[in-house]
């Protein structure tokens, strides 16, 4: 089939025009986006002005009535009266003036015994309710209330000579406030209501009052967009048209109760603004069209002379693909010209290319046979490589239906192989890999395939197996062979392997799925401690998927600042004196709410962002410590949990010193908590770092003591001040005799070393009593307090701590 010929000038023309159209489209989108943003900003500013004016004039109204109340009370001289008779009579005389001058619609005077001394009409239930609230709060009350109309309810408490309190309640029209807003921001203002549900639309409006009733009617009820949801108008505003005029409508929530919700509607004429936007778009499109036509003509005129020369070169180039190098060089591609151009450079390069291709063709032919020999095998171990693995696995999977037998894939990874490379060098590591490959090869049948997948990973393909037990037998054989030490030169290595097994009898499965499944099972085996095998099942994939999803969400949480701190108090066991606060990291997910630290902390510890987040936590703790000292809690220390990556970071001491200088707080106010696993990873380095920080004044605590595997000899060498007994032992101490004995022994041992003992997870008075009797120093747990968000910690301490001691028995 012959392809349609399009000349180079035409293609260039199409290319340039396409580029210009894309550029113009991009500029158009940006311009329209800017215009839309300006209109949105105008809507937001209008709404802000309305809200600001509503607040200002509401405050003015409150102040006006407060001044009136003070002057009225002074006029009646109620402070010298033993009852409220004179006040009631004065209110009756003033009521007409209040209606005329203050827009008061009704007034009531009620004693604290609910006796009505004056009423302009029967006391409504909602007014009685507001009076009750004012009595309970013992302060004036200002409240908007809407039913058929919207009014401001104002309740003032008034004291007489004997200290008795009467409550003056008034309902005031909102006409003054809406008029003031209309006058201030030049918007038409109306008070409207809608049904109190999520499905309410504009045409369900009921007018309470409006500065322009006809405009409100045409926009909300008769307009073709009158079915716009009210929730959308509240959030984004609404642009409506009436009589060839454009209006912007904003709704400010005023009152919601019962079956109706009330709003103040701001209606602005934006006709000129919209017209300006339309004119701008038209001018832009017209200018772009003229530019397109001009450039199209110029491109076509300039590009035409190149066409013949390009066609000549294009007809000669296929000779290179046919390896006719001499014939290609015999064609005259470069005409005589006074000035060279780009096409001359291309033709010269093509000639040079023909010589290079000719030489390369000779070398390729020589090397092809060599490459074919090594393409399918690993150079180091001699095992088939990944290319051969893919080929063999596709073949055995294709034979499942033919032989009616299954296929198994074993994925192997050497445990802690990186330590061999780090400690003995890559040369020794390569020799160890060769020996490992031999052991894998000796563990399988001649018909099976063992491949080096990469690094210290191997894959075994078992074809023609009846069930997964056959694969398990091979895995056990491999594990048994790896129990024997590997001797390399003068070194002896004990290297184990973790194995994942995937078995299938499904001929439709993809080979890469088998490798993926066995890889997942291998990681399950490695996470379980290594030197064992795991058989893949679907739940493993779900766990991996959930872990990957959580890792992604953790990265988003870091970028969106969704992490915060909570602080859990620590108290002395005997005196119940506040000893310290442990800072705990919390994650508030926008959809799932609070995520358990057990779910995200392990992922964070493997994240490259953990150190950065750790420094944020430390700085937050310094800010809290400074605020604690300002509040008078000068002897309360803050416990900060340090991750393994944070503790070994070389910048940690410098950062802590800079914070001590910046916040002017002593290092003794902080307790750095480390886990046993963090300490024993590199014990000598850990002790050195702890000594350096100890000289600055920081104290140290070993967290979750008893759950790790550190030696007591290390504990004697470390400059530790506090030992924290893990809550897993405290939870079962009263029911499990073994847990109780562990706690008692730990407390006795730690006390003999002269250290402080902290018990975590105390949730009952029985646990508290038993720990106190056993000379435990510090208590931490839900019995006294759950972790308190940092924003609430000071109000919490003020309510629970008196002179440094716990005020109540327990906090719920």
């Amino acid at each position: 089939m012959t392809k349609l010929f399009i000349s180079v000038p035409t293609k260039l023309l199409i290319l340039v025009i396409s580029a210009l159209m894309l550029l113009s489209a991009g500029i158009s989108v940006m311009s329209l986006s800017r215009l839309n943003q300006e209109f949105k900003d105008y809507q937001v500013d209008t709404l802000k002005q309305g809200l600001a004016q509503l607040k200002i004039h509401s405050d003015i109204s409150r102040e006006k009535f407060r001044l009136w109340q003070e002057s009225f009370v002074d006029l009646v001289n109620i402070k010298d009266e033993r009852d409220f008779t004179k006040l009631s009579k004065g209110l009756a005389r003033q009521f007409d003036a209040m209606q005329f001058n203050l827009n008061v619609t009704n007034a009531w005077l009620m004693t604290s015994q609910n006796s009505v001394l004056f009423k302009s009409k029967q006391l409504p239930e909602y007014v009685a309710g507001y009076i009750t609230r004012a009595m309970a709060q013992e302060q004036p009350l200002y409240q908007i209330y809407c039913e058929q109309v919207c009014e401001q309810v104002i309740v003032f408490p008034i004291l007489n000579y004997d200290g008795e309190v009467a409550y003056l309640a008034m309902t005031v029209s909102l006409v003054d406030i809406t008029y003031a807003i209309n006058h201030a921001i030049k918007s038409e203002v109306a008070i409207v209501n809608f049904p109190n549900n999520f499905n309410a639309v504009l045409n369900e409006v009921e007018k309470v009052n409006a500065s322009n009733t006809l405009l409100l009617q045409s926009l909300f009820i008769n307009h073709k967009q009158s079915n716009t949801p009210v929730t959308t108008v509240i959030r984004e505003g609404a642009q409506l048209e009436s009589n060839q005029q454009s209006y912007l409508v904003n709704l400010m929530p005023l009152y919601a109760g019962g079956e109706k919700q009330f709003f103040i509607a701001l209606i602005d004429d934006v006709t000129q603004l919209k017209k300006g936007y339309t004119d701008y778009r038209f001018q832009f499109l017209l200018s772009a069209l003229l530019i397109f036509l001009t450039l199209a003509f110029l491109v076509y005129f300039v590009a035409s002379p190149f066409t013949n020369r390009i066609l000549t070169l294009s007809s000669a180039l296929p000779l290179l693909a046919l390896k006719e190098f001499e014939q290609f060089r015999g064609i005259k591609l470069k005409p005589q010209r006074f000035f060279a151009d780009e096409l001359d450079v291309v033709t010269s390069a093509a000639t040079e290319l023909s010589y290079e291709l000719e030489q390369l063709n000779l070398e390729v032919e020589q090397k092809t046979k060599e490459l074919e020999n090594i393409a399918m095998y690993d150079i180091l171990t001699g095992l088939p490589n990944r290319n051969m693995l893919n080929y063999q696995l596709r073949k055995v999977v294709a034979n499942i239906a033919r032989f009616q037998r299954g296929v198994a894939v074993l994925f192997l990874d050497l445990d802690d192989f990186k330590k061999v490379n780090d400690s003995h060098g890559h040369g020794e590591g390569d020799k160890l890999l060769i020996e490992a490959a031999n052991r894998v090869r000796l563990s399988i049948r001649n018909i099976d395939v063992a491949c080096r997948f990469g690094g210290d990973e191997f894959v075994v393909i078992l074809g023609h197996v009846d069930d997964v037990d056959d694969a398990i037998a091979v895995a056990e054989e491999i594990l048994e062979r790896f129990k024997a030490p590997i001797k390399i030169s003068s070194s002896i290595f004990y290297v184990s392997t973790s194995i994942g097994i995937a078995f299938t009898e499904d001929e439709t499965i993809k080979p890469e799925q088998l490798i993926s499944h066995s890889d997942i099972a291998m990681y399950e085996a490695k996470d379980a401690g290594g030197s064992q095998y795991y058989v893949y099942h679907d739940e493993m994939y779900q766990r991996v998927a959930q872990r990957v999803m959580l890792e992604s969400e953790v990265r988003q949480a870091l970028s969106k600042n969704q992490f915060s701190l909570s602080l859990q108090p620590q108290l002395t066991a005997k005196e119940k004196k506040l000893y310290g606060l442990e800072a705990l990291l919390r994650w508030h997910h926008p959809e799932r709410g609070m995520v358990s630290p057990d779910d995200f902390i392990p992922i964070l510890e493997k994240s490259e962002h953990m150190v950065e987040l750790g420094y944020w936590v430390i700085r937050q703790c310094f800010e809290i410590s400074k605020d604690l000292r300002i509040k008078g809690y000068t002897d309360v220390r803050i416990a900060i949990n340090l991750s393994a990556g944070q503790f070994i970071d070389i910048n940690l001491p410098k950062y802590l010193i800079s914070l001590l200088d910046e916040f002017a707080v002593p290092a003794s106010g902080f307790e750095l908590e480390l886990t046993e696993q963090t300490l024993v990873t590199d014990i000598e380095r850990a002790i050195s770092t702890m000594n350096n920080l100890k000289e600055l004044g920081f104290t140290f605590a070993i967290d979750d003591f008893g759950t790790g595997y550190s030696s007591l000899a290390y504990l004697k060498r470390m400059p530790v001040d506090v030992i924290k007994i893990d809550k897993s032992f405290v939870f079962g101490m009263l029911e499990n005799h073994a847990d109780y004995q562990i706690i008692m022994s730990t407390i006795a041992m730690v006390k003999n070393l002269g250290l402080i003992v902290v018990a975590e997870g105390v949730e009952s008075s029985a646990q508290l009593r038993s720990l106190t009797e056993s000379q435990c120093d510090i208590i931490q747990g839900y019995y006294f307090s759950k972790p308190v968000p940092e924003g609430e910690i000071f109000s919490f301490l003020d309510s629970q701590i008196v002179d440094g001691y716990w005020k109540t028995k327990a906090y719920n």
Side-chain angles (χ1 to χ4, degrees):
M1 179 178 178
T2 303
K3 294 184 178 179
L4 178 65
F5 177 80
I6 301 177
S7 66
V8 171
T10 303
K11 291 181 179 179
L12 289 175
L13 179 62
I14 294 173
L15 178 63
V16 171
I17 291 178
S18 299
L20 289 173
M21 290 182 66
L22 288 174
L23 179 62
S24 300
I27 296 174
S28 299
V29 170
M30 293 174 61
S31 300
L32 293 176
S33 176
R34 181 177 61 83
L35 294 176
N36 291 333
Q37 184 60 43
E38 289 178 358
F39 191 85
K40 180 64 177 178
D41 293 341
Y42 176 82
Q43 181 260 329
V44 172
D45 290 342
T46 301
L47 185 59
K48 286 183 177 179
Q49 292 179 24
L51 291 170
Q53 289 297 322
L54 176 61
K55 184 179 185 305
I56 289 171
H57 291 292
S58 297
D59 292 342
I60 291 173
S61 176
R62 293 181 181 182
E63 183 64 19
K64 177 176 67 176
F65 278 97
R66 186 187 66 79
L67 293 174
W68 174 86
Q69 181 257 348
E70 290 178 355
S71 61
F72 177 66
V73 169
D74 290 341
L75 179 65
V76 178
N77 199 21
I78 191 62
K79 293 182 180 179
D80 295 334
E81 297 293 326
R82 294 186 176 278
D83 57 25
F84 297 100
T85 304
K86 189 174 180 181
L87 178 65
S88 175
K89 292 179 179 179
L91 184 61
R93 291 193 301 271
Q94 288 285 330
F95 182 68
D96 291 338
M98 291 162 61
Q99 287 183 306
F100 182 76
N101 295 316
L102 301 176
N103 280 329
V104 174
T105 56
N106 288 288
W108 299 268
L109 182 64
M110 178 184 286
T111 67
S112 57
Q113 291 79 28
N114 296 325
S115 175
V116 179
L117 303 178
F118 172 82
K119 60 181 180 180
S120 60
K121 72 170 190 177
Q122 188 65 30
L123 180 65
E125 290 185 5
Y126 71 91
V127 175
Y130 289 135
I131 294 174
T132 301
R133 281 175 54 185
M135 290 180 181
Q137 298 172 359
E138 297 183 351
Q139 61 182 10
L141 181 142
Y142 303 90
Q143 185 70 43
I144 299 295
Y145 180 82
C146 299
E147 192 170 356
Q148 299 301 322
V149 297
C150 287
E151 298 175 315
Q152 187 177 21
V153 180
I154 302 173
V155 181
F156 292 113
I158 301 174
L159 289 170
N160 65 5
Y161 179 81
D162 292 330
E164 296 178 347
V165 183
Y167 293 87
L168 173 58
M170 297 177 287
T171 56
V172 183
S173 171
L174 297 181
V175 172
D176 285 350
I177 293 178
T178 56
Y179 174 77
I181 295 174
N182 172 257
H183 183 72
I185 64 176
K186 308 303 181 184
S187 299
E188 297 294 341
V189 181
I191 297 180
V192 297
N193 67 58
F194 301 91
N196 192 7
N197 59 66
F198 288 105
N199 300 319
V201 295
L202 285 182
N203 61 10
E204 296 182 272
V205 67
E206 293 184 14
K207 177 181 72 68
V208 177
N209 61 60
S211 56
N212 190 333
T213 302
L214 293 178
L215 178 61
L216 180 71
Q217 179 81 9
S218 64
L219 289 177
F220 280 47
I221 299 178
N222 299 331
H223 194 271
K224 64 182 180 180
Q225 294 181 340
S226 59
N227 60 346
T228 303
V230 172
T231 53
T232 301
V233 181
I234 295 172
R235 184 176 62 254
E236 303 174 359
Q239 184 181 342
L240 306 177
E241 295 188 4
S242 178
N243 299 325
Q244 298 183 347
Q245 297 290 107
S246 295
Y247 295 91
L248 174 65
V249 177
N250 284 305
L251 295 179
M252 298 190 300
L254 184 62
Y255 178 84
E259 298 180 354
K260 298 179 180 179
Q261 50 184 337
F262 292 78
F263 300 88
I264 292 181
L266 303 177
I267 305 174
D268 294 273
D269 190 340
V270 293
T271 304
Q272 293 302 318
L273 183 62
K274 184 177 180 181
K275 183 176 182 300
Y277 293 165
T278 303
D279 293 343
Y280 176 84
R281 287 196 298 266
F282 176 77
Q283 293 172 6
F284 175 82
L285 293 174
L286 181 61
S287 301
L289 179 61
L290 293 175
I291 293 173
F292 289 159
L293 294 176
T294 302
L295 288 177
F297 174 77
L298 291 175
V299 168
Y300 194 82
F301 177 78
V302 172
S304 295
F306 292 89
T307 303
N308 291 333
R309 296 175 61 197
I310 293 175
L311 288 174
T312 301
L313 179 60
S314 64
S315 63
L317 286 175
L319 294 175
L320 295 178
L322 297 174
K323 301 180 182 180
E324 300 291 342
F325 303 110
E326 290 294 336
Q327 185 179 350
F328 174 82
R329 290 190 288 269
I331 296 175
K332 189 175 182 180
L333 299 174
K334 188 175 180 181
Q336 299 295 324
R337 297 174 60 88
F338 290 104
F339 302 102
D341 55 25
E342 288 82 355
L343 281 178
D344 293 327
V345 175
V346 171
T347 54
S348 297
T351 302
E352 294 295 326
L353 178 63
S354 69
Y355 288 105
E356 296 292 334
L357 288 176
E358 187 174 17
Q359 181 63 30
L360 180 62
N361 183 59
L362 294 175
E363 294 179 2
V364 167
E365 290 178 352
Q366 294 173 359
K367 298 294 183 180
T368 298
K369 293 183 179 180
E370 298 176 16
L371 292 175
E372 288 176 350
N373 292 331
I374 66 175
M376 293 296 180
Y377 291 89
D378 176 59
I379 297 176
L380 177 64
T381 63
L383 292 179
N385 61 15
R386 192 178 297 190
N387 294 329
M388 180 65 81
L389 166 68
N390 293 331
Y391 171 74
Q392 293 291 345
L393 190 55
R394 285 195 299 269
K395 187 168 67 173
V396 295
V397 169
N399 287 332
I400 291 177
R402 177 182 176 186
F403 295 102
Q404 295 297 309
R405 302 184 76 184
V407 172
V409 172
L410 278 63
F411 201 109
L412 289 76
D413 184 272
L414 302 184
D415 298 327
D416 296 326
F417 176 75
K418 184 176 182 299
K419 292 182 179 179
V420 177
N421 277 337
D422 293 342
S423 59
H424 292 79
H426 288 275
E428 296 287 283
D430 288 345
K431 294 177 182 178
L432 191 147
L433 285 175
I434 294 172
E435 178 59 27
N438 291 332
R439 294 189 178 189
V440 173
R441 185 190 295 111
L442 293 172
S443 302
I444 62 176
R445 303 170 298 180
N446 292 333
I447 62 172
D448 299 325
V449 180
C451 307
R452 185 185 179 195
F453 194 75
D456 60 335
E457 296 175 333
F458 300 89
V459 174
V460 174
I461 304 173
L462 304 178
H464 309 293
V465 293
D466 294 322
D467 52 40
V468 74
D469 290 338
D470 294 340
I472 291 174
V474 175
E476 290 175 342
E477 171 69 17
I478 294 173
L479 292 174
E480 186 63 30
R481 287 185 181 274
F482 272 91
K483 289 181 180 180
I486 298 177
K487 184 176 182 180
I488 298 175
S489 299
S490 60
S491 301
I492 296 178
F493 299 97
Y494 288 88
V495 178
S496 61
T497 182
S498 298
I499 304 176
I501 302 173
F503 172 79
T504 185
E505 294 177 320
D506 181 9
E507 68 272 15
T508 64
I509 193 169
K510 295 181 179 179
E512 55 267 24
Q513 282 183 285
L514 276 174
I515 296 176
S516 175
H517 291 171
S518 60
D519 188 21
I520 291 172
M522 181 273 293
Y523 275 105
E524 289 280 334
K526 189 172 287 291
D527 289 343
S531 189
Q532 57 187 302
Y533 66 84
Y534 265 52
V535 179
Y536 173 83
H537 51 79
D538 292 338
E539 289 77 6
M540 289 183 180
Y541 179 81
Q542 296 298 326
R543 287 197 293 270
V544 171
Q546 290 175 1
R547 183 166 62 245
V548 171
M549 181 181 69
L550 193 58
E551 288 175 355
S552 174
E553 291 181 340
V554 164
R555 287 194 293 270
Q556 294 180 19
L558 285 167
S559 63
K560 295 180 180 179
N561 299 319
Q562 294 174 358
F563 289 103
S564 64
L565 291 183
S566 289
L567 298 113
Q568 188 170 34
Q570 299 171 330
L571 287 88
T572 59
K574 293 181 179 180
E575 297 85 4
K576 309 301 182 291
K577 183 179 180 182
L578 182 61
Y579 169 81
L581 300 167
E582 181 178 4
L584 301 169
L585 191 61
R586 291 293 183 263
W587 176 18
H588 188 273
H589 192 281
E591 296 177 0
R592 292 189 287 163
M594 296 302 297
V595 181
S596 170
D598 293 338
D599 292 336
F600 72 84
I601 288 294
I603 294 176
L604 267 177
E605 289 178 341
K606 298 177 183 178
S607 168
E608 60 184 4
H609 303 288
M610 185 61 197
V611 174
E612 178 185 352
L613 181 62
Y615 281 129
W616 174 84
V617 170
I618 294 173
R619 185 175 185 85
Q620 289 293 104
C621 291
F622 269 78
E623 291 181 357
I624 295 170
S625 178
K626 183 175 181 180
D627 292 339
L628 281 170
R629 292 182 174 275
I630 294 173
K631 294 286 187 179
Y633 299 100
T634 56
D635 58 348
V636 175
R637 66 178 63 186
I638 296 181
I640 306 173
N641 290 278
L642 294 183
S643 66
Q646 191 83 62
F647 184 61
I648 64 174
D649 186 46
I650 60 174
N651 296 315
L652 177 63
K654 295 179 181 178
Y655 185 73
L656 290 173
I657 292 172
S658 68
L659 292 181
L660 291 174
D661 294 337
E662 179 182 349
F663 289 95
V665 293
S668 59
F670 300 95
E671 183 178 280
L672 305 181
E673 292 194 3
L674 304 166
T675 63
E676 295 179 62
Q677 186 173 1
T678 299
L679 294 172
V680 300
T681 301
D682 189 344
I683 189 67
E684 298 301 330
R685 182 175 179 179
I687 292 175
S688 175
T689 302
M690 293 175 73
N691 284 329
N692 292 336
L693 295 177
K694 189 78 172 179
E695 291 178 0
L696 297 175
F698 291 97
T699 57
F700 285 93
I702 296 182
D703 196 12
D704 300 337
F705 187 79
T707 62
Y709 44 83
S710 62
S711 169
L712 293 179
Y714 292 151
L715 186 60
K716 292 174 61 178
R717 295 176 58 196
M718 293 177 183
V720 175
D721 304 277
V722 177
I723 298 296
K724 300 189 71 175
I725 300 175
D726 186 63
K727 60 186 177 182
S728 62
F729 297 111
V730 176
F731 286 158
M733 64 177 292
L734 299 181
E735 294 81 18
N736 189 316
H737 183 70
D739 286 347
Y740 180 82
Q741 289 300 324
I742 290 173
I743 291 176
M744 297 304 105
S745 300
T746 301
I747 293 175
M749 176 195 69
V750 173
K751 298 292 285 186
N752 287 334
L753 292 174
L755 305 180
I756 297 174
V757 182
V758 177
E760 297 181 301
V762 178
E763 297 186 354
S764 68
S765 59
Q767 292 172 343
L768 173 62
R769 183 168 53 255
S770 179
L771 289 166
T772 303
E773 292 172 353
S774 301
Q775 303 303 311
C776 181
D777 298 304
I778 308 298
I779 299 298
Q780 178 181 344
Y782 281 19
Y783 180 74
F784 289 106
S785 171
K786 297 179 180 179
V788 181
E790 59 180 307
E792 304 172 11
I793 188 63
F794 292 108
S795 59
F796 172 80
L797 292 178
D798 290 343
S799 65
Q800 298 298 322
I801 303 298
V802 177
D803 295 330
Y805 292 87
W806 203 255
K807 183 171 69 174
T808 58
K809 179 180 179 182
Y811 172 72
N812 295 317

